[in-house]
Amino acid sequence: MKDLIKIAMEYKEKAYVPYSNFRVGAAVRFDSGNIYGGCNIENVSFGATNCAERTAIFSGVKEGEKVISEIAIVADSEELIAPCGICRQVIVEFCSKDSKIILAKNEEEYIIKTIEEIMPGAFTKDFLK
Protein backbone atom coordinates (compact mmCIF):
# COMPACT_ATOMS: atom_id res chain seq x y z
CA MET A 1 0.00 0.00 0.00
CA LYS A 2 2.82 2.40 0.83
CA ASP A 3 4.32 1.77 -2.60
CA LEU A 4 1.06 2.99 -4.15
CA ILE A 5 1.03 6.13 -1.99
CA LYS A 6 4.64 6.85 -2.97
CA ILE A 7 3.78 6.58 -6.67
CA ALA A 8 0.77 8.86 -6.20
CA MET A 9 3.04 11.40 -4.50
CA GLU A 10 5.45 11.24 -7.45
CA TYR A 11 2.62 11.84 -9.91
CA LYS A 12 1.34 14.75 -7.83
CA GLU A 13 4.60 16.53 -8.65
CA LYS A 14 3.78 16.25 -12.38
CA ALA A 15 0.38 17.95 -12.07
CA TYR A 16 -0.42 20.76 -14.51
CA VAL A 17 -2.30 23.25 -12.34
CA PRO A 18 -1.68 26.83 -13.51
CA TYR A 19 -5.12 28.00 -12.33
CA SER A 20 -5.78 26.33 -8.97
CA ASN A 21 -2.21 25.53 -7.94
CA PHE A 22 -3.76 22.48 -6.22
CA ARG A 23 -1.81 19.38 -7.20
CA VAL A 24 -3.33 15.91 -6.94
CA GLY A 25 -1.70 12.59 -7.67
CA ALA A 26 -3.22 9.14 -7.89
CA ALA A 27 -1.95 5.61 -8.37
CA VAL A 28 -4.14 2.64 -9.20
CA ARG A 29 -3.28 -1.00 -8.75
CA PHE A 30 -5.48 -3.22 -10.89
CA ASP A 31 -6.25 -6.87 -10.16
CA SER A 32 -3.45 -7.83 -12.56
CA GLY A 33 -0.97 -6.19 -10.16
CA ASN A 34 -0.09 -3.49 -12.69
CA ILE A 35 0.07 0.07 -11.37
CA TYR A 36 -0.82 3.21 -13.32
CA GLY A 37 -0.36 6.77 -12.09
CA GLY A 38 -1.99 10.04 -12.91
CA CYS A 39 -2.05 13.71 -12.01
CA ASN A 40 -4.63 16.41 -12.43
CA ILE A 41 -4.38 18.31 -15.70
CA GLU A 42 -6.14 21.67 -15.77
CA ASN A 43 -7.44 23.63 -18.72
CA VAL A 44 -8.50 27.25 -18.98
CA SER A 45 -11.90 25.83 -19.97
CA PHE A 46 -12.45 24.19 -16.59
CA GLY A 47 -14.79 21.52 -17.97
CA ALA A 48 -11.84 20.16 -19.96
CA THR A 49 -9.83 19.60 -16.78
CA ASN A 50 -9.09 15.97 -15.90
CA CYS A 51 -8.60 14.74 -12.34
CA ALA A 52 -5.67 12.62 -11.23
CA GLU A 53 -7.90 9.65 -10.39
CA ARG A 54 -9.45 9.51 -13.85
CA THR A 55 -6.08 10.05 -15.54
CA ALA A 56 -4.67 7.03 -13.67
CA ILE A 57 -7.73 4.83 -14.19
CA PHE A 58 -8.02 5.63 -17.89
CA SER A 59 -4.29 4.90 -18.34
CA GLY A 60 -4.91 1.39 -17.04
CA VAL A 61 -8.15 0.82 -18.92
CA LYS A 62 -6.51 1.77 -22.23
CA GLU A 63 -4.04 -1.06 -21.54
CA GLY A 64 -6.85 -3.57 -21.01
CA GLU A 65 -7.24 -3.34 -17.23
CA LYS A 66 -10.78 -3.66 -15.90
CA VAL A 67 -10.87 -4.11 -12.09
CA ILE A 68 -9.29 -1.77 -9.53
CA SER A 69 -7.72 -3.51 -6.56
CA GLU A 70 -6.75 -0.28 -4.81
CA ILE A 71 -6.31 3.39 -5.56
CA ALA A 72 -4.25 5.93 -3.60
CA ILE A 73 -4.97 9.65 -3.76
CA VAL A 74 -2.77 12.49 -2.43
CA ALA A 75 -3.04 16.26 -2.74
CA ASP A 76 -1.56 19.60 -1.77
CA SER A 77 -3.65 19.73 1.38
CA GLU A 78 -3.26 19.51 5.12
CA GLU A 79 -6.43 17.43 5.10
CA LEU A 80 -7.09 14.08 3.49
CA ILE A 81 -9.05 14.59 0.30
CA ALA A 82 -11.61 12.32 -1.27
CA PRO A 83 -12.31 11.99 -4.99
CA CYS A 84 -14.79 14.36 -6.62
CA GLY A 85 -18.20 13.04 -7.65
CA ILE A 86 -17.23 12.32 -11.25
CA CYS A 87 -14.14 10.39 -10.13
CA ARG A 88 -16.22 8.44 -7.61
CA GLN A 89 -18.54 7.37 -10.42
CA VAL A 90 -15.58 6.27 -12.56
CA ILE A 91 -14.12 4.34 -9.60
CA VAL A 92 -17.51 2.62 -9.16
CA GLU A 93 -17.37 1.53 -12.81
CA PHE A 94 -14.04 -0.24 -12.40
CA CYS A 95 -13.94 -1.41 -8.79
CA SER A 96 -15.24 -4.38 -6.88
CA LYS A 97 -16.84 -4.32 -3.44
CA ASP A 98 -13.39 -5.26 -2.05
CA SER A 99 -11.46 -2.44 -3.75
CA LYS A 100 -9.59 -0.14 -1.37
CA ILE A 101 -9.66 3.63 -1.69
CA ILE A 102 -6.63 5.07 0.12
CA LEU A 103 -6.82 8.74 1.05
CA ALA A 104 -3.31 9.85 2.02
CA LYS A 105 -1.23 12.79 3.10
CA ASN A 106 1.94 10.72 2.83
CA GLU A 107 3.18 7.15 3.31
CA GLU A 108 2.53 7.29 7.06
CA GLU A 109 -0.73 9.26 7.25
CA TYR A 110 -3.65 7.68 5.41
CA ILE A 111 -7.03 6.07 5.79
CA ILE A 112 -8.63 3.28 3.81
CA LYS A 113 -12.22 3.49 2.60
CA THR A 114 -14.51 1.17 0.69
CA ILE A 115 -16.50 2.22 -2.35
CA GLU A 116 -19.70 1.91 -0.29
CA GLU A 117 -18.27 4.39 2.22
CA ILE A 118 -17.40 7.04 -0.35
CA MET A 119 -20.29 6.40 -2.77
CA PRO A 120 -23.28 4.90 -0.97
CA GLY A 121 -26.16 3.99 -3.23
CA ALA A 122 -24.01 4.36 -6.35
CA PHE A 123 -25.53 4.15 -9.81
CA THR A 124 -24.18 0.92 -11.32
CA LYS A 125 -24.70 -1.22 -14.40
CA ASP A 126 -27.10 -3.33 -12.31
CA PHE A 127 -29.68 -0.54 -12.74
CA LEU A 128 -29.59 -1.05 -16.51
CA LYS A 129 -30.83 -4.65 -16.42
Side-chain angles (χ1 to χ4, degrees):
M1 187 169 327
K2 290 184 180 186
D3 63 329
L4 211 58
I5 295 169
K6 183 177 179 182
I7 293 168
M9 291 171 65
E10 291 169 2
Y11 271 89
K12 181 184 78 159
E13 298 303 316
K14 298 176 182 189
Y16 177 74
V17 291
Y19 308 105
S20 72
N21 294 311
F22 188 77
R23 300 174 304 167
V24 180
V28 180
R29 186 183 334 265
F30 286 87
D31 278 358
S32 66
N34 292 331
I35 297 172
Y36 298 86
C39 59
N40 53 327
I41 304 166
E42 293 182 347
N43 190 286
V44 68
S45 175
F46 293 128
T49 293
N50 203 56
C51 298
E53 300 91 328
R54 287 182 285 138
T55 301
I57 293 167
F58 295 162
S59 292
V61 171
K62 78 173 180 57
E63 296 299 327
E65 304 286 357
K66 296 291 186 272
V67 181
I68 294 170
S69 174
E70 51 190 353
I71 179 170
I73 304 153
V74 299
D76 280 341
S77 175
E78 292 297 316
E79 304 297 322
L80 297 171
I81 66 151
C84 73
I86 294 170
C87 288
R88 291 177 198 218
Q89 186 64 49
V90 171
I91 293 168
V92 165
E93 183 72 19
F94 295 103
C95 76
S96 72
K97 64 178 180 62
D98 298 322
S99 299
K100 296 176 183 160
I101 295 97
I102 305 157
L103 312 178
K105 289 185 193 179
N106 54 54
E107 294 167 80
E108 304 303 322
E109 299 176 273
Y110 60 88
I111 59 172
I112 301 169
K113 298 282 188 177
T114 65
I115 194 60
E116 183 62 30
E117 289 175 312
I118 70 162
M119 190 74 163
F123 181 73
T124 69
K125 59 187 166 205
D126 295 336
F127 287 103
L128 301 178
K129 293 179 180 175

